[in-house]
Amino acid sequence: MNFCSDCGNAVIKKIPEGDNRERHVCVTCEVIHYQNPKVIAGVLPIYGDQILLCKRSIEPRHGFWTLPAGFLENGESSLDGALRECVEEANAHVVNPELYALFDIPQINQVYVFYRAHLAEPVFGPSSESSEVALFSEADIPWSELAFPVVELALDHFLKDRQTGDFLVKHEQIQRPWRSRRNP
Ligand SMILES: [Zn+2]
């Protein structure tokens, strides 16, 4: 950040009085511009024994497969954001969503929230963000072509939990560099 979004003048980095870390502070109007992690909400859409994945047609990770997920909008709950992303990216409406995973990635200031949910019908399709949308059985999941570590982690947990039917909510911190569990 170089300029104040309130008055347009220059900002500097300094520790405001009573604070304990550097912030962008406007030299003119003295507004402190706090920067905080972003929340990304997504869905793990299930149909029968298959999982819905989207092939990204945008950067980052163009051409790689992902679960529908995206940045929360202001005024939106994490669940509403997850369901919206599922419609926007996969043209899929899901039912019975349940909180499934919270993944922290402090190195890049992101928090992911995933919901398990079900497709009532196998209705979905490509979008401006996904060149392909498809259902995958466990044996067909493209582990080496997944877009992000959180996608692999969510799928890995889900497939293990499915063997017991016990889908406890997961909470993990993603380590970077990422060491894949499926593609060592
Ligand atoms: Zn200012």
Side-chain angles (χ1 to χ4, degrees):
M1 183 172 200
N2 296 313
F3 298 101
C4 175
S5 54
D6 280 20
C7 77
N9 288 299
V11 297
I12 56 167
K13 279 185 111 175
K14 70 170 189 179
I15 302 175
E17 199 180 323
D19 204 338
N20 56 12
R21 63 185 71 204
E22 281 197 327
R23 312 285 183 189
H24 290 102
V25 181
C26 178
V27 295
T28 305
C29 75
E30 298 184 341
V31 163
I32 303 167
H33 296 278
Y34 295 97
Q35 294 181 323
N36 302 98
K38 290 199 177 337
V39 177
I40 297 150
V43 175
L44 199 162
I46 303 146
Y47 183 71
D49 67 351
Q50 297 182 298
I51 300 164
L52 193 72
L53 295 175
C54 306
K55 193 174 199 175
R56 291 176 63 83
S57 61
I58 52 172
E59 294 294 348
R61 305 293 281 162
H62 183 285
F64 287 79
W65 292 91
T66 190
L67 291 165
F71 292 109
L72 270 194
E73 300 287 357
N74 288 341
E76 185 175 58
S77 72
S78 60
L79 175 57
D80 286 346
L83 298 176
R84 173 181 55 72
E85 291 289 343
C86 195
V87 174
E88 287 179 0
E89 295 188 5
N91 280 297
H93 293 267
V94 289
V95 295
N96 301 330
E98 290 188 71
L99 180 62
Y100 187 52
L102 191 157
F103 298 133
D104 285 303
I105 322 178
Q107 294 97 328
I108 56 172
N109 310 316
Q110 294 182 346
V111 177
Y112 272 83
V113 181
F114 279 109
Y115 292 84
R116 285 185 301 121
H118 296 267
L119 290 163
E121 302 286 337
V123 177
F124 51 82
S127 65
S128 59
E129 296 171 41
S130 310
S131 58
E132 276 180 70
V133 178
L135 287 167
F136 288 86
S137 297
E138 180 168 1
D140 301 324
I141 289 180
W143 294 106
S144 63
E145 296 166 47
L146 296 180
F148 306 110
V150 289
V151 176
E152 177 183 313
L153 204 51
L155 293 173
D156 187 57
H157 277 304
F158 174 75
L159 292 169
K160 283 175 182 161
D161 283 354
R162 198 166 66 174
Q163 295 172 12
T164 62
D166 193 0
F167 297 96
L168 285 179
V169 173
K170 306 298 182 287
H171 179 208
E172 282 193 53
Q173 183 169 321
I174 305 287
Q175 302 298 337
R176 286 166 65 96
W178 168 247
R179 297 183 69 175
S180 173
R181 296 172 190 186
R182 295 280 180 161
N183 300 295

